[in-house]
Amino acid sequence: MSSSTVPNDLRVGIVGCGAISRNHLEAFAAAPGAQVTVVCDIDPDRARQTAEQYGIAHAVGTVDELLSTGVDIISVCTPHPTHEDVVLAAAAAGVHILCEKPIAVDLASARRMTSACHAAGVRLGVLFQRRFWPAAQEMKADLVADRLGEPILGQCTVLLHRDPTYYSATPWRGTWDSDGGGVLMTQAIHYIDLLIWMLGDPVEVSGKIATFTHDIEVEDTAVATVTFASGALATINATTAADTALGARVQVTASSGATRTILEYPEGTDGRAVLRAENGSVSTTPDYPDDLVANADLRTINGALIPHHTAQVADFVAAVRNGCAPAVTGHDATRSLAVLLAVYESSRTGAPVQLTTDMVVSGDVEEVTA
Ligand SMILES: NC(=O)c1ccc[n+]([C@@H]2O[C@H](COP(=O)([O-])OP(=O)(O)OC[C@H]3O[C@@H](n4cnc5c(N)ncnc54)[C@H](O)[C@@H]3O)[C@@H](O)[C@H]2O)c1
């Protein structure tokens, strides 16, 4: 569908009616010119209940049924290893796709997805809603405008708490086969995406993973160093084993000596620019409310993310309507996946992993040219 043939009201299908689907349902409800017309879940009760709750005409049990209703966009809200099948089916039907992160759990799968969307001439966007924090947008704009110099050092620290039931109550979580990884794949990937957005193409990764407190196959803790094509360096520290969550911090130092720190605390809320050290002085803007909750439950965390999902959904709808690339492309999402998979490989082999050009070169390979 070229931008000249975009209908007035884009018809949207949601695939997967679990925890994060609420964010997509509410985000599309707030997006001008788009309307959710069908929801799909392999659990028919879930699909029906979601349709009833949100007043949606159709509830179906398969992606083929959803596509047969005639939609312009789908949101993919299913477990990570299932993303590929859904995306390939939608691309084959000429439907634009907004997919939850991670794009996939292996690079071959991610590449098949971006290639299929490119070949079909449909947009592929991947949810990294933290890019829409005003503080992240400002940091990026200042780097692009060269107001801070070149980024030389990045740090991301992700200190989260997950109750054991987070893994035990959802059967697909916590195993290599059905979750693809642990804290890196599911939580830290958001902040790895921010690091890459700020620092550029990653070229080498070393790391170590461990499982300390959770009864899961995959890692609950990880450390890594990343080297970027520019020569910039970054560290990643991440865990879901913290007794009391401290949220996540992304910090960038640039060649002028300026350092900006964005803190997301509590998890899910707006990342705030809490510290700026520039021109020989330091300013802090914590500005926290009094009623902080350290270990919020998942529904609260996901609920707090709705404004950021709303911003990214609006961006994606505009991209479809205007025929331009969305803010976060499938290729962007492949780069963050490449970094975390390299941490797994480095941890296994004890050696640094070089990222090959096809994993990391910037550019919107799935961008539609028609
Ligand atoms: N962007 C974010 O901040 C964020 C937050 C939470 C989850 N997510 C991502 O969203 C995805 C889903 O996570 P969740 O927590 O909502 O999981 P969930 O288990 O709560 O929900 C998944 C739903 O998908 C359904 N499903 C599974 N396979 C399906 C298929 N082939 N077709 C249709 N329905 C299918 C399941 O029945 C279930 O209802 C994951 O990839 C996760 O990483 C992103």
Side-chain angles (χ1 to χ4, degrees):
M1 184 177 61
S2 76
S3 54
S4 58
T5 58
V6 172
N8 283 342
D9 236 356
L10 293 164
R11 298 155 302 172
V12 179
I14 306 284
V15 187
C17 299
I20 207 62
S21 64
R22 173 172 59 126
N23 293 41
H24 291 247
L25 286 154
E26 298 204 6
F28 275 108
Q35 196 188 354
V36 177
T37 53
V38 53
V39 293
C40 165
D41 200 292
I42 49 173
D43 177 339
D45 288 340
R46 264 195 186 178
R48 203 180 47 250
Q49 282 161 14
T50 303
E52 277 169 18
Q53 187 182 346
Y54 288 89
I56 294 160
H58 303 288
V60 299
T62 67
V63 175
D64 285 347
E65 285 175 87
L66 176 144
L67 293 170
S68 73
T69 67
V71 288
D72 305 296
I73 294 175
I74 62 159
S75 258
V76 184
C77 302
T78 59
H80 339 316
T82 66
H83 290 175
E84 180 182 355
D85 284 349
V86 180
V87 167
L88 296 188
V95 169
H96 302 284
I97 301 142
L98 185 57
C99 181
E100 266 299 348
K101 48 50 65 175
I103 181 172
V105 293
D106 66 83
L107 288 176
S109 175
R111 236 174 260 123
R112 286 190 293 270
M113 293 159 76
T114 53
S115 301
C117 290
H118 180 61
V122 298
R123 306 278 166 205
L124 173 60
V126 181
L127 249 301
F128 281 103
Q129 73 278 4
R130 285 167 171 90
R131 284 209 198 178
F132 290 83
W133 289 338
Q137 295 272 331
E138 187 190 9
M139 189 193 279
K140 176 69 178 176
D142 285 347
L143 288 169
V144 168
D146 202 22
R147 284 190 278 270
L148 306 173
E150 288 293 312
I152 56 173
L153 176 64
Q155 299 172 61
C156 100
T157 307
V158 184
L159 297 176
L160 304 180
H161 168 84
R162 284 293 180 272
D163 192 84
T165 57
Y166 170 76
Y167 296 105
S168 60
T170 306
W172 62 272
R173 292 207 185 275
T175 74
W176 289 109
D177 273 354
S178 56
D179 207 353
V183 63
L184 288 175
M185 183 69 79
T186 296
Q187 286 87 19
I189 191 170
H190 284 284
Y191 314 98
I192 295 171
D193 173 71
L194 286 176
L195 272 187
I196 295 170
W197 196 40
M198 302 298 173
L199 275 74
D201 292 333
V203 294
E204 187 184 286
V205 176
S206 294
K208 202 86 186 158
I209 61 170
T211 310
F212 287 118
T213 62
H214 289 295
D215 184 17
I216 53 177
E217 283 178 10
V218 295
E219 84 288 357
D220 62 21
T221 303
V223 294
T225 61
V226 184
T227 307
F228 292 82
S230 65
L233 300 173
T235 57
I236 299 164
N237 298 276
T239 189
T240 53
D243 166 73
T244 308
L246 289 175
R249 188 167 55 83
V250 176
Q251 185 163 300
V252 175
T253 299
S255 54
S256 68
T259 296
R260 295 266 178 94
T261 307
I262 300 177
L263 176 66
E264 176 189 342
Y265 180 79
E267 187 183 358
T269 54
D270 233 20
R272 294 154 192 258
V274 290
L275 190 144
R276 286 168 183 243
E278 287 166 38
N279 303 319
S281 65
V282 177
S283 61
T284 58
T285 51
D287 189 25
Y288 281 120
D290 298 330
D291 54 349
L292 291 175
V293 179
N295 295 337
D297 62 37
L298 209 55
R299 189 171 164 76
T300 304
I301 293 171
N302 286 339
L305 293 169
I306 289 172
H308 315 313
H309 272 82
T310 301
Q312 188 164 356
V313 162
D315 168 83
F316 189 75
V317 169
V320 168
R321 196 164 282 293
N322 301 328
C324 57
V328 191
T329 65
H331 186 69
D332 293 333
T334 305
R335 294 198 297 170
S336 50
L337 178 65
V339 166
L340 71 91
L341 291 175
V343 180
Y344 295 153
E345 186 181 337
S346 174
S347 186
R348 199 167 52 244
T349 63
V353 174
Q354 312 299 322
L355 301 186
T356 56
T357 311
D358 61 334
M359 294 176 193
V360 297
V361 167
S362 303
D364 302 317
V365 291
E366 73 278 22
E367 188 171 346
V368 182
T369 48

